[in-house]
Amino acid sequence: MPFKDAFHTFPKLETERFILRELRSDDAKEYYTYLSDHEVTKYWGYEGPKNVETAAKTFTRFHNAFTRKEMITWGIAAKDDDKIIGTCILNDFIRASMVSLSYNLSRDHWGKGIMTEVLQTIIPFAFHTLDMNRIQAKVMPENNSSVRLLSKLGFVQEGLLRDFIFGESITDTLIFSILKKDFIKKAL
């Protein structure tokens, strides 16, 4: 499926334990609640939404960005209760060949292999369905959990961006990437 065709309908994905779906207005409370935790947002570069209403407005921006083929934001919903516990985003598409990856997860769900499971579904989607050649992720150097996660998934640390603008912060930022050819080679 060519890149442009992947944006006709929001791509709902599934893992063993989770549904990756578009965020809905009834998800705003869960989204607001877990992003109100400073531990979740401290490496994010942005503050979380100020209230439930702001969270719901964020979903409208996500939907509009999807419609413009600029971003895909999946809510990570547990299959057993359909509650949102995190998000995963593909954005900054460049020439339909490169994309940036970002993610967040409720602190209550850290250390359970959830983001590994989710990204093991999103990465093949980006390479095979969207036909991306490169996926990159930017991480604050002190975010050891993300550094380990990306390394485990086959991302290579390419360097350090000094005093880089990371969200609304200026901070040193590590850049990681995985190339389609390396992903395919690793899968064999």
PDB file of all heavy atoms in Angstrom, residues 26-59:
ATOM      1  N   ASP A  26     -14.024  10.085  24.717  1.00  0.00           N
ATOM      2  CA  ASP A  26     -14.192   9.404  26.009  1.00  0.00           C
ATOM      3  C   ASP A  26     -12.866   8.876  26.576  1.00  0.00           C
ATOM      4  O   ASP A  26     -12.835   8.373  27.702  1.00  0.00           O
ATOM      5  CB  ASP A  26     -15.248   8.296  25.934  1.00  0.00           C
ATOM      6  CG  ASP A  26     -14.918   7.206  24.944  1.00  0.00           C
ATOM      7  OD1 ASP A  26     -14.271   7.485  23.918  1.00  0.00           O
ATOM      8  OD2 ASP A  26     -15.310   6.049  25.196  1.00  0.00           O
ATOM      9  N   ASP A  27     -11.758   9.023  25.848  1.00  0.00           N
ATOM     10  CA  ASP A  27     -10.427   8.652  26.349  1.00  0.00           C
ATOM     11  C   ASP A  27      -9.748   9.809  27.078  1.00  0.00           C
ATOM     12  O   ASP A  27      -8.684   9.633  27.673  1.00  0.00           O
ATOM     13  CB  ASP A  27      -9.506   8.244  25.193  1.00  0.00           C
ATOM     14  CG  ASP A  27      -9.986   7.029  24.443  1.00  0.00           C
ATOM     15  OD1 ASP A  27     -10.479   6.089  25.099  1.00  0.00           O
ATOM     16  OD2 ASP A  27      -9.854   7.009  23.199  1.00  0.00           O
ATOM     17  N   ALA A  28     -10.326  10.982  27.009  1.00  0.00           N
ATOM     18  CA  ALA A  28      -9.651  12.187  27.508  1.00  0.00           C
ATOM     19  C   ALA A  28      -9.306  12.091  28.994  1.00  0.00           C
ATOM     20  O   ALA A  28      -8.234  12.541  29.410  1.00  0.00           O
ATOM     21  CB  ALA A  28     -10.504  13.423  27.234  1.00  0.00           C
ATOM     22  N   LYS A  29     -10.165  11.499  29.794  1.00  0.00           N
ATOM     23  CA  LYS A  29      -9.890  11.423  31.232  1.00  0.00           C
ATOM     24  C   LYS A  29      -8.652  10.568  31.512  1.00  0.00           C
ATOM     25  O   LYS A  29      -7.775  10.970  32.280  1.00  0.00           O
ATOM     26  CB  LYS A  29     -11.095  10.870  31.991  1.00  0.00           C
ATOM     27  CG  LYS A  29     -10.873  10.842  33.489  1.00  0.00           C
ATOM     28  CD  LYS A  29     -12.096  10.344  34.236  1.00  0.00           C
ATOM     29  CE  LYS A  29     -11.799  10.330  35.728  1.00  0.00           C
ATOM     30  NZ  LYS A  29     -12.828   9.681  36.494  1.00  0.00           N
ATOM     31  N   GLU A  30      -8.564   9.385  30.896  1.00  0.00           N
ATOM     32  CA  GLU A  30      -7.396   8.526  31.101  1.00  0.00           C
ATOM     33  C   GLU A  30      -6.127   9.206  30.596  1.00  0.00           C
ATOM     34  O   GLU A  30      -5.081   9.173  31.252  1.00  0.00           O
ATOM     35  CB  GLU A  30      -7.556   7.176  30.404  1.00  0.00           C
ATOM     36  CG  GLU A  30      -8.505   6.228  31.100  1.00  0.00           C
ATOM     37  CD  GLU A  30      -9.949   6.451  30.691  1.00  0.00           C
ATOM     38  OE1 GLU A  30     -10.202   7.077  29.643  1.00  0.00           O
ATOM     39  OE2 GLU A  30     -10.837   6.012  31.448  1.00  0.00           O
ATOM     40  N   TYR A  31      -6.214   9.815  29.421  1.00  0.00           N
ATOM     41  CA  TYR A  31      -5.067  10.504  28.819  1.00  0.00           C
ATOM     42  C   TYR A  31      -4.583  11.619  29.747  1.00  0.00           C
ATOM     43  O   TYR A  31      -3.392  11.714  30.056  1.00  0.00           O
ATOM     44  CB  TYR A  31      -5.502  11.051  27.462  1.00  0.00           C
ATOM     45  CG  TYR A  31      -4.430  11.735  26.639  1.00  0.00           C
ATOM     46  CD1 TYR A  31      -3.503  10.993  25.936  1.00  0.00           C
ATOM     47  CD2 TYR A  31      -4.390  13.121  26.537  1.00  0.00           C
ATOM     48  CE1 TYR A  31      -2.539  11.616  25.153  1.00  0.00           C
ATOM     49  CE2 TYR A  31      -3.438  13.752  25.760  1.00  0.00           C
ATOM     50  CZ  TYR A  31      -2.514  12.992  25.064  1.00  0.00           C
ATOM     51  OH  TYR A  31      -1.569  13.616  24.287  1.00  0.00           O
ATOM     52  N   TYR A  32      -5.503  12.440  30.203  1.00  0.00           N
ATOM     53  CA  TYR A  32      -5.159  13.530  31.117  1.00  0.00           C
ATOM     54  C   TYR A  32      -4.547  12.987  32.404  1.00  0.00           C
ATOM     55  O   TYR A  32      -3.530  13.486  32.896  1.00  0.00           O
ATOM     56  CB  TYR A  32      -6.388  14.384  31.422  1.00  0.00           C
ATOM     57  CG  TYR A  32      -6.177  15.309  32.592  1.00  0.00           C
ATOM     58  CD1 TYR A  32      -5.349  16.420  32.472  1.00  0.00           C
ATOM     59  CD2 TYR A  32      -6.770  15.057  33.821  1.00  0.00           C
ATOM     60  CE1 TYR A  32      -5.126  17.262  33.558  1.00  0.00           C
ATOM     61  CE2 TYR A  32      -6.559  15.897  34.899  1.00  0.00           C
ATOM     62  CZ  TYR A  32      -5.727  16.992  34.764  1.00  0.00           C
ATOM     63  OH  TYR A  32      -5.494  17.806  35.832  1.00  0.00           O
ATOM     64  N   THR A  33      -5.153  11.951  32.957  1.00  0.00           N
ATOM     65  CA  THR A  33      -4.703  11.409  34.243  1.00  0.00           C
ATOM     66  C   THR A  33      -3.264  10.925  34.168  1.00  0.00           C
ATOM     67  O   THR A  33      -2.431  11.298  34.996  1.00  0.00           O
ATOM     68  CB  THR A  33      -5.633  10.272  34.714  1.00  0.00           C
ATOM     69  OG1 THR A  33      -6.954  10.812  34.883  1.00  0.00           O
ATOM     70  CG2 THR A  33      -5.156   9.672  36.018  1.00  0.00           C
ATOM     71  N   TYR A  34      -2.927  10.104  33.175  1.00  0.00           N
ATOM     72  CA  TYR A  34      -1.557   9.584  33.169  1.00  0.00           C
ATOM     73  C   TYR A  34      -0.544  10.637  32.728  1.00  0.00           C
ATOM     74  O   TYR A  34       0.608  10.604  33.161  1.00  0.00           O
ATOM     75  CB  TYR A  34      -1.441   8.257  32.400  1.00  0.00           C
ATOM     76  CG  TYR A  34      -1.279   8.340  30.913  1.00  0.00           C
ATOM     77  CD1 TYR A  34      -0.043   8.617  30.332  1.00  0.00           C
ATOM     78  CD2 TYR A  34      -2.350   8.098  30.068  1.00  0.00           C
ATOM     79  CE1 TYR A  34       0.109   8.668  28.965  1.00  0.00           C
ATOM     80  CE2 TYR A  34      -2.206   8.143  28.705  1.00  0.00           C
ATOM     81  CZ  TYR A  34      -0.971   8.422  28.152  1.00  0.00           C
ATOM     82  OH  TYR A  34      -0.822   8.478  26.786  1.00  0.00           O
ATOM     83  N   LEU A  35      -0.944  11.607  31.910  1.00  0.00           N
ATOM     84  CA  LEU A  35      -0.005  12.663  31.519  1.00  0.00           C
ATOM     85  C   LEU A  35       0.113  13.763  32.575  1.00  0.00           C
ATOM     86  O   LEU A  35       0.961  14.637  32.458  1.00  0.00           O
ATOM     87  CB  LEU A  35      -0.394  13.263  30.171  1.00  0.00           C
ATOM     88  CG  LEU A  35      -0.115  12.359  28.969  1.00  0.00           C
ATOM     89  CD1 LEU A  35      -0.569  13.037  27.679  1.00  0.00           C
ATOM     90  CD2 LEU A  35       1.342  11.964  28.885  1.00  0.00           C
ATOM     91  N   SER A  36      -0.706  13.703  33.616  1.00  0.00           N
ATOM     92  CA  SER A  36      -0.564  14.635  34.740  1.00  0.00           C
ATOM     93  C   SER A  36       0.584  14.224  35.661  1.00  0.00           C
ATOM     94  O   SER A  36       0.983  14.987  36.529  1.00  0.00           O
ATOM     95  CB  SER A  36      -1.866  14.681  35.547  1.00  0.00           C
ATOM     96  OG  SER A  36      -2.905  15.192  34.755  1.00  0.00           O
ATOM     97  N   ASP A  37       1.084  13.031  35.462  1.00  0.00           N
ATOM     98  CA  ASP A  37       2.184  12.501  36.268  1.00  0.00           C
ATOM     99  C   ASP A  37       3.506  13.031  35.703  1.00  0.00           C
ATOM    100  O   ASP A  37       3.886  12.697  34.580  1.00  0.00           O
ATOM    101  CB  ASP A  37       2.138  10.969  36.211  1.00  0.00           C
ATOM    102  CG  ASP A  37       3.213  10.296  37.033  1.00  0.00           C
ATOM    103  OD1 ASP A  37       4.178  10.963  37.472  1.00  0.00           O
ATOM    104  OD2 ASP A  37       3.102   9.067  37.223  1.00  0.00           O
ATOM    105  N   HIS A  38       4.188  13.847  36.469  1.00  0.00           N
ATOM    106  CA  HIS A  38       5.457  14.440  36.015  1.00  0.00           C
ATOM    107  C   HIS A  38       6.485  13.385  35.610  1.00  0.00           C
ATOM    108  O   HIS A  38       7.297  13.607  34.710  1.00  0.00           O
ATOM    109  CB  HIS A  38       6.045  15.371  37.083  1.00  0.00           C
ATOM    110  CG  HIS A  38       7.383  15.913  36.712  1.00  0.00           C
ATOM    111  ND1 HIS A  38       7.540  16.843  35.701  1.00  0.00           N
ATOM    112  CD2 HIS A  38       8.622  15.626  37.170  1.00  0.00           C
ATOM    113  CE1 HIS A  38       8.838  17.108  35.565  1.00  0.00           C
ATOM    114  NE2 HIS A  38       9.512  16.388  36.446  1.00  0.00           N
ATOM    115  N   GLU A  39       6.466  12.239  36.252  1.00  0.00           N
ATOM    116  CA  GLU A  39       7.413  11.179  35.881  1.00  0.00           C
ATOM    117  C   GLU A  39       7.184  10.710  34.445  1.00  0.00           C
ATOM    118  O   GLU A  39       8.129  10.305  33.772  1.00  0.00           O
ATOM    119  CB  GLU A  39       7.301   9.992  36.847  1.00  0.00           C
ATOM    120  CG  GLU A  39       7.898  10.258  38.203  1.00  0.00           C
ATOM    121  CD  GLU A  39       9.392  10.587  38.142  1.00  0.00           C
ATOM    122  OE1 GLU A  39      10.161   9.808  37.558  1.00  0.00           O
ATOM    123  OE2 GLU A  39       9.779  11.639  38.685  1.00  0.00           O
ATOM    124  N   VAL A  40       5.957  10.759  33.975  1.00  0.00           N
ATOM    125  CA  VAL A  40       5.646  10.343  32.600  1.00  0.00           C
ATOM    126  C   VAL A  40       6.117  11.397  31.603  1.00  0.00           C
ATOM    127  O   VAL A  40       6.638  11.081  30.539  1.00  0.00           O
ATOM    128  CB  VAL A  40       4.131  10.078  32.434  1.00  0.00           C
ATOM    129  CG1 VAL A  40       3.774   9.824  30.975  1.00  0.00           C
ATOM    130  CG2 VAL A  40       3.701   8.903  33.311  1.00  0.00           C
ATOM    131  N   THR A  41       5.977  12.667  31.948  1.00  0.00           N
ATOM    132  CA  THR A  41       6.276  13.737  30.988  1.00  0.00           C
ATOM    133  C   THR A  41       7.672  14.346  31.130  1.00  0.00           C
ATOM    134  O   THR A  41       8.056  15.154  30.300  1.00  0.00           O
ATOM    135  CB  THR A  41       5.231  14.862  31.096  1.00  0.00           C
ATOM    136  OG1 THR A  41       5.257  15.396  32.419  1.00  0.00           O
ATOM    137  CG2 THR A  41       3.843  14.354  30.743  1.00  0.00           C
ATOM    138  N   LYS A  42       8.437  13.971  32.128  1.00  0.00           N
ATOM    139  CA  LYS A  42       9.711  14.659  32.355  1.00  0.00           C
ATOM    140  C   LYS A  42      10.702  14.495  31.212  1.00  0.00           C
ATOM    141  O   LYS A  42      11.546  15.359  31.012  1.00  0.00           O
ATOM    142  CB  LYS A  42      10.328  14.272  33.695  1.00  0.00           C
ATOM    143  CG  LYS A  42      10.978  12.924  33.769  1.00  0.00           C
ATOM    144  CD  LYS A  42      11.586  12.747  35.162  1.00  0.00           C
ATOM    145  CE  LYS A  42      12.203  11.387  35.325  1.00  0.00           C
ATOM    146  NZ  LYS A  42      12.740  11.219  36.664  1.00  0.00           N
ATOM    147  N   TYR A  43      10.614  13.421  30.441  1.00  0.00           N
ATOM    148  CA  TYR A  43      11.495  13.241  29.281  1.00  0.00           C
ATOM    149  C   TYR A  43      10.755  13.491  27.974  1.00  0.00           C
ATOM    150  O   TYR A  43      11.215  13.143  26.905  1.00  0.00           O
ATOM    151  CB  TYR A  43      12.078  11.825  29.254  1.00  0.00           C
ATOM    152  CG  TYR A  43      12.900  11.486  30.466  1.00  0.00           C
ATOM    153  CD1 TYR A  43      12.637  10.343  31.202  1.00  0.00           C
ATOM    154  CD2 TYR A  43      13.954  12.301  30.864  1.00  0.00           C
ATOM    155  CE1 TYR A  43      13.400  10.014  32.306  1.00  0.00           C
ATOM    156  CE2 TYR A  43      14.715  11.988  31.972  1.00  0.00           C
ATOM    157  CZ  TYR A  43      14.431  10.839  32.685  1.00  0.00           C
ATOM    158  OH  TYR A  43      15.189  10.522  33.780  1.00  0.00           O
ATOM    159  N   TRP A  44       9.601  14.081  28.065  1.00  0.00           N
ATOM    160  CA  TRP A  44       8.738  14.270  26.907  1.00  0.00           C
ATOM    161  C   TRP A  44       9.010  15.595  26.207  1.00  0.00           C
ATOM    162  O   TRP A  44       8.787  15.732  25.017  1.00  0.00           O
ATOM    163  CB  TRP A  44       7.297  14.199  27.396  1.00  0.00           C
ATOM    164  CG  TRP A  44       6.281  13.873  26.374  1.00  0.00           C
ATOM    165  CD1 TRP A  44       6.446  13.194  25.211  1.00  0.00           C
ATOM    166  CD2 TRP A  44       4.901  14.208  26.440  1.00  0.00           C
ATOM    167  NE1 TRP A  44       5.255  13.081  24.555  1.00  0.00           N
ATOM    168  CE2 TRP A  44       4.288  13.696  25.289  1.00  0.00           C
ATOM    169  CE3 TRP A  44       4.130  14.883  27.366  1.00  0.00           C
ATOM    170  CZ2 TRP A  44       2.938  13.838  25.031  1.00  0.00           C
ATOM    171  CZ3 TRP A  44       2.785  15.016  27.111  1.00  0.00           C
ATOM    172  CH2 TRP A  44       2.194  14.499  25.957  1.00  0.00           C
ATOM    173  N   GLY A  45       9.469  16.579  26.950  1.00  0.00           N
ATOM    174  CA  GLY A  45       9.726  17.888  26.361  1.00  0.00           C
ATOM    175  C   GLY A  45       8.510  18.802  26.358  1.00  0.00           C
ATOM    176  O   GLY A  45       8.601  19.955  25.975  1.00  0.00           O
ATOM    177  N   TYR A  46       7.364  18.275  26.740  1.00  0.00           N
ATOM    178  CA  TYR A  46       6.127  19.052  26.823  1.00  0.00           C
ATOM    179  C   TYR A  46       5.473  18.767  28.160  1.00  0.00           C
ATOM    180  O   TYR A  46       5.630  17.695  28.720  1.00  0.00           O
ATOM    181  CB  TYR A  46       5.109  18.623  25.751  1.00  0.00           C
ATOM    182  CG  TYR A  46       5.506  18.906  24.339  1.00  0.00           C
ATOM    183  CD1 TYR A  46       6.064  17.914  23.542  1.00  0.00           C
ATOM    184  CD2 TYR A  46       5.292  20.160  23.795  1.00  0.00           C
ATOM    185  CE1 TYR A  46       6.414  18.174  22.225  1.00  0.00           C
ATOM    186  CE2 TYR A  46       5.641  20.421  22.478  1.00  0.00           C
ATOM    187  CZ  TYR A  46       6.196  19.426  21.700  1.00  0.00           C
ATOM    188  OH  TYR A  46       6.542  19.681  20.416  1.00  0.00           O
ATOM    189  N   GLU A  47       4.705  19.706  28.639  1.00  0.00           N
ATOM    190  CA  GLU A  47       3.839  19.421  29.777  1.00  0.00           C
ATOM    191  C   GLU A  47       2.599  18.721  29.239  1.00  0.00           C
ATOM    192  O   GLU A  47       2.213  18.919  28.094  1.00  0.00           O
ATOM    193  CB  GLU A  47       3.442  20.717  30.480  1.00  0.00           C
ATOM    194  CG  GLU A  47       4.580  21.362  31.230  1.00  0.00           C
ATOM    195  CD  GLU A  47       4.113  22.541  32.062  1.00  0.00           C
ATOM    196  OE1 GLU A  47       2.919  22.596  32.409  1.00  0.00           O
ATOM    197  OE2 GLU A  47       4.956  23.396  32.345  1.00  0.00           O
ATOM    198  N   GLY A  48       1.978  17.932  30.069  1.00  0.00           N
ATOM    199  CA  GLY A  48       0.751  17.270  29.669  1.00  0.00           C
ATOM    200  C   GLY A  48      -0.396  18.266  29.582  1.00  0.00           C
ATOM    201  O   GLY A  48      -0.239  19.446  29.904  1.00  0.00           O
ATOM    202  N   PRO A  49      -1.561  17.807  29.162  1.00  0.00           N
ATOM    203  CA  PRO A  49      -2.722  18.696  29.075  1.00  0.00           C
ATOM    204  C   PRO A  49      -3.090  19.251  30.448  1.00  0.00           C
ATOM    205  O   PRO A  49      -2.863  18.612  31.477  1.00  0.00           O
ATOM    206  CB  PRO A  49      -3.832  17.792  28.531  1.00  0.00           C
ATOM    207  CG  PRO A  49      -3.365  16.400  28.728  1.00  0.00           C
ATOM    208  CD  PRO A  49      -1.884  16.429  28.805  1.00  0.00           C
ATOM    209  N   LYS A  50      -3.654  20.456  30.469  1.00  0.00           N
ATOM    210  CA  LYS A  50      -3.997  21.140  31.722  1.00  0.00           C
ATOM    211  C   LYS A  50      -5.253  20.589  32.393  1.00  0.00           C
ATOM    212  O   LYS A  50      -5.431  20.721  33.587  1.00  0.00           O
ATOM    213  CB  LYS A  50      -4.200  22.636  31.469  1.00  0.00           C
ATOM    214  CG  LYS A  50      -3.019  23.318  30.837  1.00  0.00           C
ATOM    215  CD  LYS A  50      -1.846  23.377  31.784  1.00  0.00           C
ATOM    216  CE  LYS A  50      -0.698  24.133  31.132  1.00  0.00           C
ATOM    217  NZ  LYS A  50       0.595  23.693  31.573  1.00  0.00           N
ATOM    218  N   ASN A  51      -6.134  19.970  31.586  1.00  0.00           N
ATOM    219  CA  ASN A  51      -7.374  19.412  32.118  1.00  0.00           C
ATOM    220  C   ASN A  51      -7.961  18.446  31.091  1.00  0.00           C
ATOM    221  O   ASN A  51      -7.398  18.284  29.997  1.00  0.00           O
ATOM    222  CB  ASN A  51      -8.378  20.530  32.466  1.00  0.00           C
ATOM    223  CG  ASN A  51      -8.596  21.484  31.317  1.00  0.00           C
ATOM    224  OD1 ASN A  51      -8.800  21.067  30.181  1.00  0.00           O
ATOM    225  ND2 ASN A  51      -8.547  22.772  31.597  1.00  0.00           N
ATOM    226  N   VAL A  52      -9.057  17.829  31.427  1.00  0.00           N
ATOM    227  CA  VAL A  52      -9.681  16.842  30.539  1.00  0.00           C
ATOM    228  C   VAL A  52     -10.138  17.493  29.236  1.00  0.00           C
ATOM    229  O   VAL A  52      -9.999  16.910  28.152  1.00  0.00           O
ATOM    230  CB  VAL A  52     -10.865  16.142  31.253  1.00  0.00           C
ATOM    231  CG1 VAL A  52     -11.617  15.220  30.297  1.00  0.00           C
ATOM    232  CG2 VAL A  52     -10.368  15.362  32.464  1.00  0.00           C
ATOM    233  N   GLU A  53     -10.658  18.718  29.317  1.00  0.00           N
ATOM    234  CA  GLU A  53     -11.125  19.413  28.111  1.00  0.00           C
ATOM    235  C   GLU A  53      -9.963  19.680  27.152  1.00  0.00           C
ATOM    236  O   GLU A  53     -10.103  19.524  25.933  1.00  0.00           O
ATOM    237  CB  GLU A  53     -11.818  20.725  28.481  1.00  0.00           C
ATOM    238  CG  GLU A  53     -13.109  20.546  29.256  1.00  0.00           C
ATOM    239  CD  GLU A  53     -12.916  20.174  30.730  1.00  0.00           C
ATOM    240  OE1 GLU A  53     -11.855  20.505  31.318  1.00  0.00           O
ATOM    241  OE2 GLU A  53     -13.813  19.523  31.285  1.00  0.00           O
ATOM    242  N   THR A  54      -8.816  20.073  27.679  1.00  0.00           N
ATOM    243  CA  THR A  54      -7.629  20.301  26.843  1.00  0.00           C
ATOM    244  C   THR A  54      -7.182  18.993  26.201  1.00  0.00           C
ATOM    245  O   THR A  54      -6.779  18.971  25.040  1.00  0.00           O
ATOM    246  CB  THR A  54      -6.483  20.900  27.686  1.00  0.00           C
ATOM    247  OG1 THR A  54      -6.957  22.080  28.332  1.00  0.00           O
ATOM    248  CG2 THR A  54      -5.283  21.227  26.832  1.00  0.00           C
ATOM    249  N   ALA A  55      -7.260  17.911  26.953  1.00  0.00           N
ATOM    250  CA  ALA A  55      -6.905  16.601  26.397  1.00  0.00           C
ATOM    251  C   ALA A  55      -7.795  16.267  25.208  1.00  0.00           C
ATOM    252  O   ALA A  55      -7.307  15.833  24.156  1.00  0.00           O
ATOM    253  CB  ALA A  55      -7.016  15.523  27.468  1.00  0.00           C
ATOM    254  N   ALA A  56      -9.090  16.491  25.344  1.00  0.00           N
ATOM    255  CA  ALA A  56     -10.026  16.209  24.245  1.00  0.00           C
ATOM    256  C   ALA A  56      -9.721  17.073  23.025  1.00  0.00           C
ATOM    257  O   ALA A  56      -9.795  16.604  21.883  1.00  0.00           O
ATOM    258  CB  ALA A  56     -11.460  16.412  24.712  1.00  0.00           C
ATOM    259  N   LYS A  57      -9.341  18.330  23.246  1.00  0.00           N
ATOM    260  CA  LYS A  57      -8.973  19.209  22.124  1.00  0.00           C
ATOM    261  C   LYS A  57      -7.700  18.715  21.441  1.00  0.00           C
ATOM    262  O   LYS A  57      -7.545  18.858  20.218  1.00  0.00           O
ATOM    263  CB  LYS A  57      -8.796  20.635  22.611  1.00  0.00           C
ATOM    264  CG  LYS A  57     -10.102  21.306  22.976  1.00  0.00           C
ATOM    265  CD  LYS A  57      -9.887  22.700  23.514  1.00  0.00           C
ATOM    266  CE  LYS A  57     -11.214  23.302  23.955  1.00  0.00           C
ATOM    267  NZ  LYS A  57     -11.048  24.597  24.615  1.00  0.00           N
ATOM    268  N   THR A  58      -6.803  18.119  22.211  1.00  0.00           N
ATOM    269  CA  THR A  58      -5.587  17.548  21.632  1.00  0.00           C
ATOM    270  C   THR A  58      -5.946  16.439  20.649  1.00  0.00           C
ATOM    271  O   THR A  58      -5.334  16.314  19.588  1.00  0.00           O
ATOM    272  CB  THR A  58      -4.668  16.997  22.747  1.00  0.00           C
ATOM    273  OG1 THR A  58      -4.343  18.062  23.637  1.00  0.00           O
ATOM    274  CG2 THR A  58      -3.397  16.401  22.187  1.00  0.00           C
ATOM    275  N   PHE A  59      -6.951  15.648  20.967  1.00  0.00           N
ATOM    276  CA  PHE A  59      -7.374  14.566  20.077  1.00  0.00           C
ATOM    277  C   PHE A  59      -7.858  15.121  18.739  1.00  0.00           C
ATOM    278  O   PHE A  59      -7.632  14.515  17.689  1.00  0.00           O
ATOM    279  CB  PHE A  59      -8.492  13.733  20.712  1.00  0.00           C
ATOM    280  CG  PHE A  59      -8.108  13.048  21.993  1.00  0.00           C
ATOM    281  CD1 PHE A  59      -9.085  12.471  22.779  1.00  0.00           C
ATOM    282  CD2 PHE A  59      -6.791  12.978  22.430  1.00  0.00           C
ATOM    283  CE1 PHE A  59      -8.764  11.829  23.962  1.00  0.00           C
ATOM    284  CE2 PHE A  59      -6.452  12.339  23.611  1.00  0.00           C
ATOM    285  CZ  PHE A  59      -7.440  11.773  24.373  1.00  0.00           C
TER     286      PHE A  59
END
